[in-house]
Amino acid sequence: MNSEAFLLLLILLPFAGSTLAALLPANARNTEAWLSGCVMIIAFAIVVYLYPSVSEGEVLRNNIEWLPGSDLNFTLRMDGFAWMFSMLITGIGFLVVLYARYYMDPEDPVPRFFSFLLAFAGAMQGVVIAGNLILLAIFWELTSIFSFLLIGYWHHNAAARDGARMSLIITGTGGLCLLAGLVLIGYIAGSYDLDVVLATGNTIREHELYVPVLVLILLGALTKSAQFPFHFWLPNAMAAPTPVSAYLHSATMVKAGVFLLTRLWPVLSGTNEWFLLLGFAGMSSLLLGAYFAIFQQDLKGLLAYSTISHLGLITTLLSFGSPLAAVAAIFHMLNHATFKASLFMAAGIIDHEAGTRDMRKLSGLFSYMPITATLAMVASAAMAGVPLLNGFLSKEMFFSETLGQHSGSMLDSILPYAATIASAFSVTYSIRFIHTVFFGPKPLELPREPHEPPHWMRRPIEFLVLACLIIGIIPGITIGPYLHTAVTSVLHEHTPLYSLAVWHGINTPLIMSMTALIGGALLYLVLQNYLAQSEDGPPGIRQFKGQRIFERLLVALSWRWARWMEETFGTQRLQPQLFLVIFIALIAGSWPFLEMNSGFSLAATAGIDPVFALLWGVGAACALGAAYQAKYHRLAALILMGGAGLVTCVTFVWFSAPDLAVTQLLVEIVTTVLILLGLRWLPKRQEQVDNATTPISWTRRVRDFVLAVSCGSGMTFIAYNIMTHAELSESIAEFFLERAYSEGGGNNVVNVILVDFRGFDTLGEITVLGIVALTVYALLRRFRPAPDSIEVPEQQRIQNDFDDRHPDRKIGETVHDYLMIPAVLMQWMFPFIILLAVYFFLRGHDLPGGGFAAGITLAIGLLLQYLASGTRWVEDHLRILPIRWIGFGLLLAALTGMGSWLFGFPFLTSHSTYLEIPLLGKIPVATALFFDLGVLLLVVGATALMLIAIAHQSIRSHRARAIEPAKTKEDS
Amino acid sequence: MELVLSLSIGILAGSGVWLLLRPRTYQVIIGLGLLSYAVNLFIFSVGRLVMGRPPITQAGAQIDPAAFADPVPQALVLTAIVIGFATTALFLVILLASRGLTGTDHVDGKEPDR
């Protein structure tokens, strides 16, 4: 296999493992651990395998085209720096999995844990080896999401939920800023490809958008790396299981920020803005983090603030902009990951074995767990920067860098002192960590009797601590070559000469180091007694918590201000909303005409057919009458609307659209019947006619009237101008007309368009129709009529009264006999209507008709039976299963479309031929005919389902009325 | 002819808009019906008005596109008619259900405060 495939595998493997892990049973702790461990170790092996080519300075690439037109490609790219991070992700990932196997409780739902952990590893790997800026942003956000899920793993715990939410909001918002910044970079550089961007550093630094770009990128990076003032999410993220803290919140995810800053270091660094912004954030985090860490009572809290401080150190180094500082930054990323991950694991062991992480309760554990204690001591010595450990080396490099000149301002003279003080603080908290937990009197009130953890749980720590020692003692031959590979891939020709030797002679950095060690130890002696009983948090500014400010802001933003906005600008009333929608539509529609000086010429008024004018005189009267009557007389309004519909139908006939006319007529019938059925549940007239003549209601009406008239005139104006405008010389109509027969096998062009050329649209449309029918059906299943409509309709009451008054008649007879003769006629018509439907269907491809028309005709046939004979009679004699019709219709249409796949054509390609059938003669058979049959079935089903559902309500309500006094819950 | 039809489209649209802005659900449903006639006719009229030339070709004959009405707006309107029916049906049922639930046929589900 070549390196390209391996790069892809590095991403795919963890995600595939994650999917698999999610599917395992809840108690499969060992299987999960084996699976995750294998994934990590294979990925680790791949990374190791890739080293020879990376070390030669080669940049491995795998470019998979995604949206090449928009310069968005799935590009993976690995250079020395990405390689170093990949080693961290997979190597520490493996150790964390091993540790987590023993850390997780058998009761915990492990599939979720390992699945998220693997997915996180994949996302992080993606951030590191993404070769396209947008792809990087996607993986970046994925790490935020998986971090959220992992922090909230114990979601029964409120602290876990809050911490997870906070980290997601902060890192997610930062991610959005980052995306904006990366898009700007892509805009300036002309490409999102990382290699192109890295080569255009000068252009970007000199561009006028440099400062916005810098601010946005820094927002992304600093939120991710928990730098001041966005640092407060990290201590809250400590509610996560400890393996997560060790992996995400010390070794990998929080490093993503500084990773990105290093990655873009050649592009963005070296300016004054870069130094000031980044230096301020870095120094503040370095000092404040270390200071806060001293006063934590929670072990993990101490480590979290220490992480903020160490990341601040890296950020400060990066802010200097000198190549040597960049080397130190990269080196410290590596060192911090090793000692901090091991310390987190040690803290997890203490928590696991002693049952608490509170340093006020822990004490004298050395005698219970000597090995763990020794390991933790070495790791915290590395954290404190004690010589012969890896932390010392990078800290020395940091000290010597702070001595240089950076901006020529007062900051330069402060820097060395600030660095020494921060380092002293870090000595203090490291001593505190060890001294409080492992020494002193034997612990009282511990929830559990502490003892050494299982053998294998300690192995990851042993390994990492060994690394701290080896790197610290013989750095040149152990880490040297790898660090050099990483450094050269970032700095290229600017790679400085640097020395990893332990002993540089007595120089200023060494004196600073010694001062810090002694000062830190003294500070601890001073504070020791205070710390033993103090509250959590630093004295004086304990109340001033980033977390509380964040929560206040969140409440203000998402609740108070949102409420205020909603109350001030929102409305729940439909009328103002509709008014605005229509008003804006009117403005948008008229806008172009205001600039155009097109007059309203009456050129074409000559050829008016008086019949047509009269017809529309009636149509317009119907429309206006419906508008007037809709409030007071619903039935009249319905009839008038139907009148306008009929005139529309005649218009279609008049102007050569027979298909439209047929469909319009049939739909008109169905709509009218449907609304008639609905009218049963509405009072016939609006009972109280309120002639509200308050000034407000008058103004409102006048306003609405003006809007309605404006819209009407606007439509007239546009329609007239379009119609009198000369026909377009070129139109897609020609395409359809010319090919309807030769390619679609039908002469009725409209039908061929619907079932063949634009068959996919029709498939969508009938799907919508089916969904609507099912929705109507579902809504009506639980239908409760308004109380005033439950009674038997007036007409039936009169008829029953009539029966009541005549002794020779039984109640219900008149209702039963009502419309007897039309009923017989309608029953006799049924077969003919079916025949008509078949006729419409078969001729549809060549002559007006088609699946829609045929479907509605058939539905009307059924409907007439319901009207004539009553629901019960029809359902006794005829079994109609409309939902099945819908299902089969949709299935047939879709299968016809898929059928073309069998012959290697795209979806819905149709084929046509002619078939000789006795008696009927030669009829066209296109596959489109089957599609049209599907349309027919669905239309019948949908229409019948809606009509029957609403017709059924009148039977149900009788029953409901009978049962309701007995307080029985009815259901149909 | 064009003048008559465009005036009619205007009247249908105006009546429809007026009804859409009214407070009773039934008014809105009738308004939607009228508005959909107006819009359907408008889309149809974009293909220009021709008489006696339906878009139905003769098999095998040479096809002159100018001899037929434009089939594209017709196909669009045919779809629109059917979808319009579906919307009306859905809206009608929501109207009924809403009246059953709230006891009023005001579009907001409650009578306005006076």
Side-chain angles (χ1 to χ4, degrees), chain A residues 122-149:
Chain A
M124 191 65 210
Q125 188 67 59
V127 169
V128 171
I129 63 173
N132 185 294
L133 295 184
I134 304 298
L135 188 67
L136 188 144
I138 293 172
F139 282 122
W140 182 280
E141 291 290 31
L142 276 180
T143 60
S144 289
I145 290 167
F146 288 113
S147 157
F148 165 78
L149 293 169

Side-chain angles (χ1 to χ4, degrees), chain A residues 417-428:
Chain A
Y417 296 102
T420 315
I421 293 172
S423 182
F425 286 162
S426 111
V427 173
T428 309

Side-chain angles (χ1 to χ4, degrees), chain A residues 392-393 499-507 510:
Chain A
F392 171 73
L393 296 171
S499 146
L500 288 177
V502 181
W503 179 252
H504 286 112
I506 298 179
N507 53 9
L510 190 68

Side-chain angles (χ1 to χ4, degrees), chain A residues 111-330:
Chain A
R112 196 152 52 89
F113 178 81
F114 284 104
S115 168
F116 290 161
L117 197 73
L118 283 176
F120 169 80
M124 191 65 210
Q125 188 67 59
V127 169
V128 171
I129 63 173
N132 185 294
L133 295 184
I134 304 298
L135 188 67
L136 188 144
I138 293 172
F139 282 122
W140 182 280
E141 291 290 31
L142 276 180
T143 60
S144 289
I145 290 167
F146 288 113
S147 157
F148 165 78
L149 293 169
L150 282 166
I151 297 171
Y153 174 70
W154 284 315
H155 50 59
H156 48 81
N157 179 349
R161 295 196 300 267
D162 290 346
R165 188 185 61 176
M166 188 188 292
S167 82
L168 181 67
I169 292 177
I170 292 175
T171 56
T173 315
L176 286 179
C177 295
L178 176 74
L179 178 64
L182 292 176
V183 168
L184 278 180
I185 290 189
Y187 163 74
I188 299 171
S191 168
Y192 293 119
D193 194 276
L194 195 55
D195 284 321
V196 178
V197 170
L198 289 178
T200 45
N202 284 330
T203 324
I204 294 172
R205 277 192 300 274
E206 279 153 23
H207 201 271
E208 54 184 355
L209 285 172
Y210 170 72
V211 176
V213 166
L214 182 67
V215 170
L216 288 167
I217 298 282
L218 289 187
L219 278 174
L222 296 180
T223 49
K224 197 77 160 186
S225 279
Q227 294 294 284
F228 181 82
F230 312 109
H231 61 283
F232 51 90
W233 70 264
L234 190 61
N236 285 293
M238 291 300 126
T242 303
V244 173
S245 308
Y247 191 39
L248 273 69
H249 304 130
S250 75
T252 55
M253 189 182 95
V254 289
K255 294 265 170 24
V258 284
F259 167 83
L260 185 77
L261 291 178
T262 317
R263 184 95 283 179
L264 296 176
W265 192 87
V267 180
L268 296 174
S269 76
T271 63
N272 223 17
E273 292 92 346
W274 167 273
F275 172 66
L276 289 176
L277 288 173
L278 207 55
F280 169 74
M283 283 308 287
S284 315
S285 313
L286 173 65
L287 273 169
L288 288 176
Y291 178 66
F292 280 41
I294 299 176
F295 298 97
Q296 298 302 310
Q297 295 295 4
D298 176 12
L299 272 183
K300 281 176 80 179
L302 185 151
L303 293 176
Y305 277 107
S306 150
T307 303
I308 294 172
S309 167
H310 279 273
L311 289 167
L313 190 152
I314 298 171
T315 311
T316 314
L317 277 169
L318 289 171
S319 77
F320 292 162
S322 76
L324 260 175
V327 174
I330 296 172

